[in-house]
Amino acid sequence: ALSFRGQLYGAGTAGSCRGGGGGAVGKMAAWGGVSRLWRRCCQGPGTFPVNYSSRDMPKQYRFLLNKDLLWVQFSGLHTDLHRHKDNSLVSISDEPDTLYRKLSVLVKGHDKTVLDSYEYFAVLAAKELGISIEKVHEPPRKIERFTLLKSIHIFKKHRVQYEMRTHYRCLELKHLTGSTADVYLEYIQRNLPEGVAMEIKKTKLEKLPEHIQKPVWDKLLSVEETASTS
Amino acid sequence: MAVDQDWSNVYPTAAAFNPSSVPLPIRMGYPVKRGVPPPKEGNLELIKIPNFLHLTPPAIKKHCTALKDFCTEWPTVLDSDEKCEQHFPIEIETVDYVSAGLSVRNPKARVVTLRVKLSKLNLDDHAKKKLIKLVGERYCKDTDMLTITTDRCPLRRQNYDYGMYLLTVLYHESWKTEMWENEKTEADMEEYIWENSPSQKNALDTLLRIRAAEKTTEVTREELLASGIVENYKTSVVALKNEGETENNVLQYKESVMKLLNLQALQ
């Protein structure tokens, strides 16, 4: 299995295929503007390496094919080819990779020190995987308090008060591809400690679909005219 | 524990604290009077809390080197927000929720928010105004952003499809011109238009009367309209009405009126 990375295209010029790897057909098209295809890195059958042998890694990262995306593929760097060729667990699929402009991970917990350790872990993991971190901040904690009667019957003057403290930590990452986001999020979520919840906000980038490029009334009118005349 | 042993073999996965496996002299708990916190042997406090002994920095680095093969790189072209917007105008926002509980599912996860800038869509003047009227509160004038939030379907995929369908329908409907749109009154107009307005009539009437009083050459309305002074007056009035009263706008209006009525001498 080989992986390819997209590269920049000059506007209106056709790029050349550089050492296109075995089995991959590069279709060059001079497209006004920039176009590229990134192939998704999927995991082939088999167990996850090293430490997670006990848990099964789920199915392939198959996503809905967005047929409206016009992607053109071209070759990647030589080093990438080798790295992915050796690893038999990686399988490359032809569908275009989704792009996330921003990924916001908010963790909530009752214990601040647990969140501190988790933040250290998440930040180190992001750095090691090469994900750019935009901001790591701590939203203010929220305390929910309520007052209940201490006794089951009468004694209205004697109450007991409880509170629940929720601490937050927000980690904002930017410019992630779908494969990287899936990998990172799965790693983060499997190591989520007990008693900690997480909310992930993903901002996906998409092109304008084909049916919005031009109003459809012109085509309809011409179709009607031809139908009436014929 | 041997000194050269690999720690990731002792704690490969998340496990409860085992005092005999961890060689650190940890004490945890509330101390007795004039005493120290209890030691780690048989210490429930240490077992209760979540520990990160399986996620030491070398272990994380090992995991990441193994995971790196599954990651793809971000395209170097799209390094700024403007370029992302130029090539990918639509933004879809979804939220996932992870928590422990009776159920894995969260009903809030089906909400999908679609954001697009109207300048990226292929709209002409009439279509843009009609779209803004159709959409109402979902359009923000300052950022030129249309935000569609859908949550009426039970699945996220369905909500996304519905959002795209709404966008398509809005786009195509705004290009249509219905018969009743001819009845658009001045109160419906979004911005001030000078042509056929009372301001234009007044200005032209005044100028014609000035010319008639001075008995100079007869000038037609069209020539007056085309002249530079009237154009100046028109731009200043339009700026005042559309942008509000700023210092610049008011000064410009004053100058254009003075030129219109030949009042330089009064300065």
Side-chain angles (χ1 to χ4, degrees), chain A residues 9-27:
Chain A
Y9 234 4
T13 56
S16 59
C17 196
R18 231 197 294 156
V25 179
K27 264 187 266 175

Side-chain angles (χ1 to χ4, degrees), chain A residues 5 8 34 36 38-39 41 43 48 51 83-84 87 90 97 99-101 114 117-118 120-121 124 128-130 175-177 179-180 183 187 189 192-194 197-209 211-217, chain B residues 8 12-13 49-50 52 54-55 57 59-61 63-64 66-75 77-81 84 87-99 115-116 120-122 157 160 164 167-168 171-173 175-176:
Chain A
R5 250 196 299 145
L8 171 60
V34 198
R36 62 204 70 76
W38 292 279
R39 292 156 126 217
C41 272
Q43 204 207 358
F48 198 78
N51 300 322
R83 184 177 67 152
H84 285 257
N87 197 339
V90 182
D97 221 345
L99 296 171
Y100 293 108
R101 191 175 69 104
V114 170
S117 309
Y118 190 73
Y120 178 85
F121 153 68
L124 185 61
E128 290 292 314
L129 288 175
H175 295 336
L176 286 157
T177 54
S179 317
T180 315
V183 165
Y187 183 47
Q189 285 165 12
L192 201 65
E194 308 74 49
M198 191 199 271
E199 276 174 26
I200 300 146
K201 205 187 257 191
K202 295 180 186 165
T203 308
K204 194 164 90 153
L205 292 175
E206 273 199 16
K207 285 197 190 270
L208 273 181
H211 39 271
I212 292 195
Q213 303 290 350
K214 277 190 211 144
V216 85
W217 312 118
Chain B
S8 47
T13 48
I49 52 162
F52 284 78
H54 58 294
L55 291 174
I60 299 175
K61 292 199 172 97
H63 299 166
C64 288
L67 287 173
K68 192 81 183 163
D69 288 338
F70 300 97
C71 298
T72 48
E73 294 233 358
W74 180 261
V77 193
L78 303 169
D79 47 359
S80 70
D81 275 341
C84 288
H87 297 290
F88 299 93
I90 300 186
E91 278 174 14
I92 316 277
E93 226 178 71
T94 46
V95 191
D96 291 314
Y97 298 88
V98 180
S99 67
R115 276 205 306 261
V116 69
K120 307 286 176 204
L121 295 174
N122 178 19
R157 199 184 302 187
Y160 166 72
M164 295 304 272
L167 184 67
T168 318
Y171 177 78
H172 290 299
E173 281 297 309
W175 272 96
K176 261 205 259 186

Side-chain angles (χ1 to χ4, degrees), chain A residues 166-185:
Chain A
T166 311
H167 302 269
Y168 300 92
R169 228 19 103 89
C170 188
L171 184 69
E172 285 178 25
L173 312 163
K174 65 174 178 184
H175 295 336
L176 286 157
T177 54
S179 317
T180 315
D182 288 340
V183 165
Y184 181 70
L185 284 176

Side-chain angles (χ1 to χ4, degrees), chain B residues 92-152:
Chain B
I92 316 277
E93 226 178 71
T94 46
V95 191
D96 291 314
Y97 298 88
V98 180
S99 67
L102 293 167
S103 161
V104 184
R105 303 170 202 287
N106 192 319
K108 290 195 279 188
R110 64 174 206 274
V111 178
V112 171
T113 306
L114 210 139
R115 276 205 306 261
V116 69
K117 280 213 168 158
L118 287 190
S119 46
K120 307 286 176 204
L121 295 174
N122 178 19
L123 292 166
D124 72 348
D125 196 42
H126 157 263
K128 185 164 177 187
K129 289 194 182 144
K130 183 164 177 186
L131 188 85
I132 294 174
K133 273 207 192 291
L134 279 172
V135 139
E137 275 200 0
R138 296 175 188 83
Y139 175 71
C140 172
K141 228 173 28 165
D142 303 320
T143 54
D144 190 32
M145 196 79 98
L146 168 68
T147 311
I148 299 177
T149 310
T150 38
D151 71 334
R152 58 164 61 181

